[in-house]
């Protein structure tokens, strides 16, 4: 894993203090079974330098603003989060971008905030949870939002939320339910023709699309039988999505994603800080050591640079030189992470 900054991380989260305080007031102590992590710009930049990330496009993870019952409060919180993220981008040029938070399931308020985030704050795209208080992306009544995003050729980062069903004891949502949640949203978007009716929206599915690459043909046949469409057309719609590698660039999952996704549609993602630093290093090593150098370069940087034109000509940057003890510690961490990755791979017998 190189220490030279080159990656563009499309799946990194921001947890401002005021947002954590709002969650605490509402009794929300975790996201998908993962405790809310500490976050600061300084800690983000240190981890980015450790794993070789030049630019991180920040987003707010689940529950977004959905934990607020009052739509006006949710809209206010979304505005505050977007103003905060825009300021971070301005304060750290070249290091951060952001996906705007929208107060779904309120479509009208989300249209207004998407317009402000994209046109005024110059967000790199918007974040949408796969389901918002039980309403999935692709459901009826969302067309005004899709038109707004399509008119701007927007990037939509789809992040999972907790399933609208009771959890199963012993299975934290982030471990399995999140993958199903993303898959449900992708299924409904394709089933209801959203990628075809709004072809200028570029959707990124988190965590390698959940189960989409693995189950794509099974889902395509089902949708074709349900809608009288060609299975090939349905598969083409599933392949129109972009996919990030967060927690997914393992020797088991990555080959399936590479076999399924269109060229240029796989992007680097870390899921930091909800995925702790060792997990990010583990999966970054999986990418760096299991595929050819051209694919690594494309996933790490060039695919995202094509999707986000403002980054295409940017020179990779890094933080000022850190003190010698920090550099030594990071070198040891990189070496230990590479060794750990090799040790936990299954044998061939």
């Amino acid at each position: 894993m190189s220490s030279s900054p080159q990656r563009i991380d499309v799946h990194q989260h921001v947890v401002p203090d005021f947002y954590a305080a709002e969650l605490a007031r509402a009794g929300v102590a975790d996201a998908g079974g993962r405790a809310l992590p500490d976050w600061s710009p300084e800690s983000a930049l240190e981890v980015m330098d450790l794993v070789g990330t030049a630019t991180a496009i920040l987003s707010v993870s689940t529950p977004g603003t959905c934990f607020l019952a009052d739509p006006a409060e949710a809209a206010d919180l979304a505005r505050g989060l977007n103003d905060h993220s825009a300021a971070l981008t301005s304060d750290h040029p070249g290091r951060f971008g952001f996906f705007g938070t929208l107060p779904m399931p309120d479509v009208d308020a989300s249209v207004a905030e998407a317009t402000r985030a994209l046109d005024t704050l110059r967000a790199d795209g918007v974040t949408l949870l796969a389901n918002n208080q039980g309403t999935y992306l692709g459901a009826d009544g969302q067309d005004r939002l899709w038109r707004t995003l399509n008119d701007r050729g927007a990037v939509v980062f789809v992040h999972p939320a907790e399933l609208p069903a009771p959890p199963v004891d012993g299975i934290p949502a982030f471990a399995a339910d999140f993958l199903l949640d993303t898959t449900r949203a992708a299924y409904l978007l394709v089933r209801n023709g959203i990628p075809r009716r709004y072809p200028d929206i570029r959707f990124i599915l988190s965590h390698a699309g959940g189960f989409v690459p693995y189950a794509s043909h099974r889902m395509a046949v089902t949708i074709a039988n349900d809608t009288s469409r060609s299975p090939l057309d349905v598969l083409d719609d599933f392949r129109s999505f972009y996919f990030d590698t967060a927690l997914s660039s393992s020797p088991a999952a990555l080959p399936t994603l590479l076999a399924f996704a269109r060229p240029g549609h796989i992007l680097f993602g870390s899921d930091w800080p909800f995925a702790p630093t060792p997990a990010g290093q583990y999966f970054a090593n999986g990418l760096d050591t299991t595929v050819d150098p051209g694919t690594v370069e494309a996933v790490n940087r060039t695919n995202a640079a094509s999707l986000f034109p403002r980054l295409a000509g940017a020179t990779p940057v890094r933080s000022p030189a850190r003190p010698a003890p920090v550099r030594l510690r990071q070198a040891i961490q990189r070496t230990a992470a590479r060794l750990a990755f090799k040790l936990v791979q299954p044998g061939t017998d």
Side-chain angles (χ1 to χ4, degrees):
M1 181 165 52
S2 172
S3 61
S4 175
Q6 57 176 326
R7 306 187 207 267
I8 297 172
D9 186 350
V10 303
H11 189 156
Q12 189 175 132
H13 294 302
V14 58
V15 191
D17 288 342
F18 71 89
Y19 179 62
E22 286 284 347
L23 292 171
R25 277 193 288 272
V28 179
D30 65 76
R34 178 78 74 184
L36 293 176
D38 293 329
W39 178 90
S40 69
E42 294 75 23
S43 60
L45 291 169
E46 183 172 347
V47 172
M48 288 163 63
D49 290 343
L50 175 67
V51 300
T53 296
T55 304
I57 302 180
L58 304 173
S59 58
V60 174
S61 186
T62 185
T65 65
C66 284
F67 67 97
L68 294 171
D70 184 338
E73 291 182 3
D76 285 344
L77 180 57
R79 285 191 290 270
L81 288 166
N82 292 335
D83 289 340
H84 181 272
S85 296
L88 280 171
T89 300
S90 177
D91 291 345
H92 301 275
R95 301 310 306 267
F96 293 132
F98 78 102
F99 293 126
T101 297
L102 303 186
M104 289 290 277
D106 187 330
V107 171
D108 289 340
S110 294
V111 167
E113 188 57 22
T115 301
R116 190 182 80 96
L118 295 168
D119 296 355
T120 302
L121 301 182
R122 312 307 299 172
D124 293 291
V126 299
T127 303
L128 289 174
L129 297 181
N131 89 84
N132 298 269
Q133 297 177 2
T135 299
Y136 273 89
L137 301 182
D140 292 341
Q142 299 169 355
D143 285 281
R144 187 174 171 225
L145 177 60
W146 301 134
R147 285 194 298 270
T148 298
L149 297 173
N150 191 72
D151 289 346
R152 289 160 175 78
V155 175
V156 174
F157 177 64
V158 178
H159 192 279
E162 295 193 32
L163 295 176
V168 176
D169 288 344
I171 304 178
F174 72 85
D177 293 354
F178 272 13
L179 304 177
L180 175 58
D181 199 50
T182 300
T183 304
R184 285 179 168 184
Y187 186 101
L188 200 59
L189 287 166
V190 170
R191 162 66 177 77
N192 291 342
I194 304 303
R196 290 200 170 240
R197 285 191 283 139
Y198 303 100
D200 292 331
I201 299 175
R202 280 77 55 80
F203 290 96
I204 302 173
L205 301 183
S206 301
H207 310 117
F211 305 132
V212 168
Y214 186 80
S216 55
H217 288 253
R218 175 175 180 161
M219 295 191 297
V221 169
T222 303
I223 292 173
N225 288 337
D226 191 28
T227 63
S228 299
R229 294 170 56 195
S230 162
L232 292 177
D233 287 345
V234 177
L235 278 171
D236 193 53
D237 288 351
F238 278 119
R239 295 184 72 233
S240 74
F241 294 125
Y242 289 77
F243 305 86
D244 77 43
T245 64
L247 303 177
S248 303
S249 48
S250 69
L254 189 57
T256 301
L257 179 59
L258 289 166
F260 177 74
R262 285 180 182 172
H265 279 227
I266 303 176
L267 313 166
F268 178 79
S270 70
D271 208 354
W272 189 86
F274 286 92
T277 300
Q281 290 183 282
Y282 177 88
F283 287 102
N285 275 309
L287 173 64
D288 291 348
T289 61
T290 60
V291 296
D292 65 89
T295 299
V296 172
E297 182 180 2
V299 174
N300 275 339
R301 184 167 187 88
T302 56
N303 293 346
S306 296
L307 189 60
F308 303 101
R310 76 174 183 87
L311 301 177
T315 301
V317 295
R318 69 177 304 152
S319 301
R322 298 188 181 278
V326 175
R327 297 198 304 272
L328 177 60
R329 172 168 52 81
Q330 290 189 335
I332 293 171
Q333 285 178 285
R334 294 187 192 104
T335 301
R338 286 192 292 267
L339 178 61
F341 179 81
K342 293 178 181 178
L343 289 175
V344 302
Q345 300 313 307
T348 58
D349 55 343

